[in-house]
Amino acid sequence: MPIATVNPTNGETLKTFDALGPEEIERRLAAAESAFRQYRTTSFAERARLLSRAADLLEQDARDVARTMTTEMGKPIGAARAEAAKCVKTMRWYAAHAEGLLADEHPTDADVRDSGATHARVHYRPLGAVLAVMPWNFPLWQVVRFAAPALMAGNVGLLKHASNVPQTALYLEDLFRRAGYAEGCFQTLLVGSGAI
């Protein structure tokens, strides 16, 4: 399937995009790895600041990005606006709650004994670059429900979105860049499925 915006109501191709070549894919993977080495050390307060800024920008952009979703995949404009609003709310929720959700845990003595151990604790630490391969039907929501918790956990994101929503995918990369995330923290990979 070509990477293109095709009007679903009449089949007209509105815009096409060249898929990234192998060298550019490798460059972006290296940028993600480099960004992760730094981003993983940021505080929850800084991560929350960045994600909250992205939420603010998305809220400001909601009408325009809703039109893009409607153009690319036929979502009714009211549903597209509601999807954008849901994403804003979700981003703000993770910005406010991730630190508590990812706090170190100390299991009860009974649970520790039950496991056969003498002591135990749980640490949540960033893993690295997270590759998200997404469907077309909720082009913002599907991405935000991966990106918000992943970024708040100190990971970086690589997005391979559905080939029929490239403008929405590029918007998301731009959104996180405008919010202040460093280069490589969130990238859209305009590639076909075979490149994954």
Side-chain angles (χ1 to χ4, degrees):
M1 171 183 229
I3 300 172
T5 297
V6 178
N7 184 330
T9 62
N10 62 15
E12 177 187 0
T13 299
L14 302 174
K15 192 169 187 177
T16 60
F17 298 84
D18 292 329
L20 299 177
E23 296 84 18
E24 181 61 13
I25 293 170
E26 289 301 321
R27 188 196 71 73
R28 288 176 182 236
L29 293 174
E33 178 59 30
S34 177
F36 172 68
R37 283 194 300 273
Q38 179 60 39
Y39 185 68
R40 68 186 300 274
T41 67
T42 59
S43 67
F44 279 108
E46 175 61 8
R47 294 175 200 167
R49 184 190 69 76
L50 290 167
L51 191 60
S52 295
R53 177 69 179 135
D56 293 346
L57 290 169
L58 176 54
E59 188 171 50
Q60 293 168 17
D61 298 345
R63 288 188 177 272
D64 290 338
V65 76
R67 265 193 303 280
T68 300
M69 286 190 283
T70 296
T71 299
E72 287 193 315
M73 50 79 60
K75 184 178 286 284
I77 194 70
R81 287 181 184 150
E83 182 174 335
K86 180 179 182 177
C87 291
V88 168
K89 185 175 182 178
T90 298
M91 294 163 89
R92 289 181 176 147
W93 189 90
Y94 276 103
H97 294 93
E99 184 172 10
L101 294 169
L102 296 171
D104 290 348
E105 296 179 18
H106 301 278
T108 65
D109 289 339
D111 286 341
V112 172
R113 283 191 307 276
D114 188 50
S115 72
T118 57
H119 68 277
R121 64 180 178 262
V122 178
H123 297 284
Y124 296 97
R125 299 295 180 257
L127 298 174
V130 178
L131 171 64
V133 180
M134 294 290 163
W136 60 271
N137 54 336
F138 288 91
L140 278 182
W141 170 241
Q142 295 286 66
V143 176
V144 166
R145 66 183 252 201
F146 122 76
L151 290 168
M152 283 304 299
N155 299 301
V156 299
L158 295 163
L159 169 63
K160 189 292 184 213
H161 217 321
S163 295
N164 65 327
V165 291
Q167 291 183 75
T168 303
L170 291 169
Y171 165 79
L172 286 157
E173 178 180 75
D174 184 62
L175 172 71
F176 289 112
R177 182 195 54 75
R178 289 185 296 132
Y181 285 89
E183 180 184 351
C185 276
F186 188 92
Q187 300 176 81
T188 290
L189 303 177
L190 288 183
V191 296
S193 298
I196 296 304

